[in-house]
Amino acid sequence: MKASEGGDPGLEQDGYLDFEVRLGRFRCLAIYIFVAGQLVRGKYLVLEEYQNLNNHLHDYDELKASVAKKYGTPTKDDTYWSNDLYEDDYAEWGMAVSCGHLSRFAHWGSAESEINLAVYGENFKVTVSVEYASKTLAELESTARDAELLGDL
Protein backbone atom coordinates (compact mmCIF):
# COMPACT_ATOMS: atom_id res chain seq x y z
CA MET A 1 0.00 0.00 0.00
CA LYS A 2 2.84 2.38 0.84
CA ALA A 3 4.41 1.89 -2.57
CA SER A 4 1.16 2.54 -4.44
CA GLU A 5 0.52 5.81 -2.58
CA GLY A 6 4.07 7.02 -3.25
CA GLY A 7 4.90 8.39 0.17
CA ASP A 8 4.98 7.85 3.88
CA PRO A 9 1.69 7.41 5.70
CA GLY A 10 0.40 10.16 7.96
CA LEU A 11 -0.48 7.51 10.51
CA GLU A 12 0.63 3.90 10.64
CA GLN A 13 -0.47 1.57 13.36
CA ASP A 14 -1.49 -2.06 13.64
CA GLY A 15 -4.10 -2.64 10.94
CA TYR A 16 -4.33 0.99 9.84
CA LEU A 17 -2.62 3.31 7.36
CA ASP A 18 -3.59 6.74 6.11
CA PHE A 19 -2.23 9.00 3.38
CA GLU A 20 -3.12 12.40 1.95
CA VAL A 21 -4.08 11.79 -1.69
CA ARG A 22 -5.95 13.32 -4.60
CA LEU A 23 -9.23 11.80 -5.70
CA GLY A 24 -9.93 13.67 -8.91
CA ARG A 25 -10.08 17.32 -7.89
CA PHE A 26 -10.54 16.48 -4.21
CA ARG A 27 -7.84 16.56 -1.56
CA CYS A 28 -8.54 13.52 0.62
CA LEU A 29 -7.30 11.42 3.47
CA ALA A 30 -7.16 7.81 2.24
CA ILE A 31 -7.59 5.35 5.10
CA TYR A 32 -6.77 1.66 4.70
CA ILE A 33 -7.89 -0.90 7.27
CA PHE A 34 -6.28 -4.33 7.43
CA VAL A 35 -7.18 -7.49 9.31
CA ALA A 36 -4.66 -10.34 9.42
CA GLY A 37 -2.61 -8.51 6.79
CA GLN A 38 -5.52 -8.26 4.32
CA LEU A 39 -7.10 -5.02 3.14
CA VAL A 40 -10.74 -5.19 4.26
CA ARG A 41 -11.80 -1.56 3.93
CA GLY A 42 -10.67 1.64 2.26
CA LYS A 43 -12.11 5.07 2.82
CA TYR A 44 -11.61 8.53 1.36
CA LEU A 45 -12.40 11.50 3.59
CA VAL A 46 -12.65 14.75 1.63
CA LEU A 47 -10.47 17.39 3.28
CA GLU A 48 -11.81 20.44 1.43
CA GLU A 49 -12.98 23.32 3.64
CA TYR A 50 -15.42 25.99 2.53
CA GLN A 51 -16.89 29.27 3.69
CA ASN A 52 -20.14 28.27 1.96
CA LEU A 53 -21.05 24.99 3.66
CA ASN A 54 -23.37 24.07 0.77
CA ASN A 55 -20.23 23.30 -1.24
CA HIS A 56 -19.92 20.09 0.78
CA LEU A 57 -23.29 19.04 -0.63
CA HIS A 58 -22.05 19.88 -4.13
CA ASP A 59 -18.98 17.68 -3.47
CA TYR A 60 -21.28 14.87 -2.36
CA ASP A 61 -23.38 15.26 -5.50
CA GLU A 62 -20.29 15.30 -7.74
CA LEU A 63 -18.85 12.17 -6.11
CA LYS A 64 -22.25 10.46 -6.29
CA ALA A 65 -22.46 11.16 -10.02
CA SER A 66 -18.94 9.78 -10.53
CA VAL A 67 -19.55 6.61 -8.51
CA ALA A 68 -22.87 6.13 -10.33
CA LYS A 69 -21.09 6.51 -13.66
CA LYS A 70 -18.83 3.62 -12.71
CA TYR A 71 -21.23 1.37 -10.71
CA GLY A 72 -24.70 2.41 -11.92
CA THR A 73 -27.67 3.70 -9.97
CA PRO A 74 -27.25 3.39 -6.19
CA THR A 75 -29.27 0.64 -4.54
CA LYS A 76 -29.97 3.02 -1.66
CA ASP A 77 -30.12 6.80 -1.83
CA ASP A 78 -31.32 8.35 1.42
CA THR A 79 -31.70 11.79 2.94
CA TYR A 80 -32.34 12.10 6.67
CA TRP A 81 -33.52 15.14 8.59
CA SER A 82 -33.18 14.85 12.38
CA ASN A 83 -34.28 18.47 12.80
CA ASP A 84 -36.29 20.36 10.15
CA LEU A 85 -35.16 23.89 11.15
CA TYR A 86 -33.42 24.50 7.79
CA GLU A 87 -35.36 22.04 5.61
CA ASP A 88 -37.30 24.72 3.73
CA ASP A 89 -34.24 26.91 3.08
CA TYR A 90 -31.82 25.24 0.64
CA ALA A 91 -29.30 28.05 1.14
CA GLU A 92 -28.88 26.75 4.72
CA TRP A 93 -28.64 23.03 3.99
CA GLY A 94 -24.86 23.09 4.42
CA MET A 95 -25.40 24.60 7.86
CA ALA A 96 -27.99 21.88 8.53
CA VAL A 97 -25.38 19.23 7.70
CA SER A 98 -22.77 20.85 9.92
CA CYS A 99 -25.23 20.90 12.84
CA GLY A 100 -26.11 17.25 12.38
CA HIS A 101 -29.65 18.07 11.22
CA LEU A 102 -29.20 16.70 7.68
CA SER A 103 -27.29 13.71 6.34
CA ARG A 104 -27.29 11.97 2.98
CA PHE A 105 -26.15 8.46 2.10
CA ALA A 106 -25.88 6.43 -1.10
CA HIS A 107 -24.98 2.75 -1.41
CA TRP A 108 -23.80 0.53 -4.26
CA GLY A 109 -22.89 -3.12 -4.29
CA SER A 110 -20.51 -4.72 -6.76
CA ALA A 111 -19.46 -8.35 -6.92
CA GLU A 112 -16.44 -7.63 -4.68
CA SER A 113 -17.37 -4.55 -2.66
CA GLU A 114 -19.93 -2.55 -0.77
CA ILE A 115 -19.57 1.14 -1.65
CA ASN A 116 -20.96 3.84 0.62
CA LEU A 117 -20.98 7.57 0.03
CA ALA A 118 -21.98 9.92 2.83
CA VAL A 119 -22.21 13.55 3.84
CA TYR A 120 -22.92 14.26 7.51
CA GLY A 121 -21.74 16.51 10.28
CA GLU A 122 -21.70 17.53 13.90
CA ASN A 123 -20.30 20.40 15.94
CA PHE A 124 -20.16 22.54 12.75
CA LYS A 125 -17.80 20.13 10.97
CA VAL A 126 -18.90 18.43 7.74
CA THR A 127 -17.60 15.06 6.56
CA VAL A 128 -17.88 13.80 2.99
CA SER A 129 -16.65 10.22 2.56
CA VAL A 130 -16.53 7.35 0.10
CA GLU A 131 -15.91 3.90 1.56
CA TYR A 132 -15.17 0.57 -0.12
CA ALA A 133 -15.57 -2.57 1.98
CA SER A 134 -14.65 -6.06 0.78
CA LYS A 135 -17.59 -8.45 0.62
CA THR A 136 -15.34 -11.50 0.61
CA LEU A 137 -13.46 -10.35 3.72
CA ALA A 138 -16.47 -9.03 5.65
CA GLU A 139 -16.58 -12.13 7.88
CA LEU A 140 -12.87 -11.78 8.68
CA GLU A 141 -13.42 -8.16 9.71
CA SER A 142 -16.52 -9.02 11.76
CA THR A 143 -14.74 -11.87 13.56
CA ALA A 144 -11.77 -9.61 14.39
CA ARG A 145 -14.07 -6.86 15.67
CA ASP A 146 -15.97 -9.37 17.87
CA ALA A 147 -12.70 -10.82 19.21
CA GLU A 148 -11.46 -7.32 20.09
CA LEU A 149 -14.67 -6.48 21.93
CA LEU A 150 -14.66 -9.79 23.81
CA GLY A 151 -11.02 -9.22 24.73
CA ASP A 152 -11.92 -5.80 26.13
CA LEU A 153 -14.76 -7.15 28.30
Side-chain angles (χ1 to χ4, degrees):
M1 200 55 55
K2 292 181 193 179
S4 67
E5 293 302 345
D8 291 327
L11 181 62
E12 180 176 8
Q13 60 187 38
D14 188 36
Y16 180 95
L17 289 172
D18 72 25
F19 297 86
E20 269 202 44
V21 299
R22 302 271 335 155
L23 180 63
R25 72 169 184 84
F26 300 102
R27 190 173 58 87
C28 295
L29 184 66
I31 301 168
Y32 301 103
I33 299 168
F34 299 86
V35 174
Q38 297 197 56
L39 178 64
V40 295
R41 187 178 300 273
K43 188 171 194 170
Y44 295 100
L45 297 176
V46 177
L47 298 175
E48 307 297 340
E49 295 185 24
Y50 301 108
Q51 287 290 126
N52 180 348
L53 295 174
N54 277 13
N55 287 335
H56 294 290
L57 290 164
H58 297 302
D59 290 352
Y60 173 88
D61 289 336
E62 184 178 335
L63 287 166
K64 182 177 159 188
S66 294
V67 175
K69 191 178 287 187
K70 184 168 184 174
Y71 295 103
T73 304
T75 55
K76 292 184 184 174
D77 191 2
D78 298 313
T79 299
Y80 298 101
W81 286 93
S82 64
N83 181 319
D84 64 1
L85 177 65
Y86 300 110
E87 190 170 1
D88 294 331
D89 186 0
Y90 177 77
E92 295 295 333
W93 280 20
M95 175 60 77
V97 172
S98 77
C99 295
H101 297 182
L102 168 63
S103 55
R104 294 176 62 196
F105 302 93
H107 173 83
W108 293 260
S110 73
E112 302 85 26
S113 301
E114 299 287 341
I115 303 142
N116 293 292
L117 173 65
V119 60
Y120 57 91
E122 69 177 338
N123 296 323
F124 304 101
K125 173 146 177 44
V126 176
T127 300
V128 178
S129 67
V130 182
E131 180 178 77
Y132 296 84
S134 169
K135 282 183 175 179
T136 58
L137 298 174
E139 184 64 32
L140 176 66
E141 184 178 14
S142 177
T143 300
R145 197 174 28 247
D146 290 348
E148 181 180 2
L149 176 60
L150 291 173
D152 290 343
L153 291 176

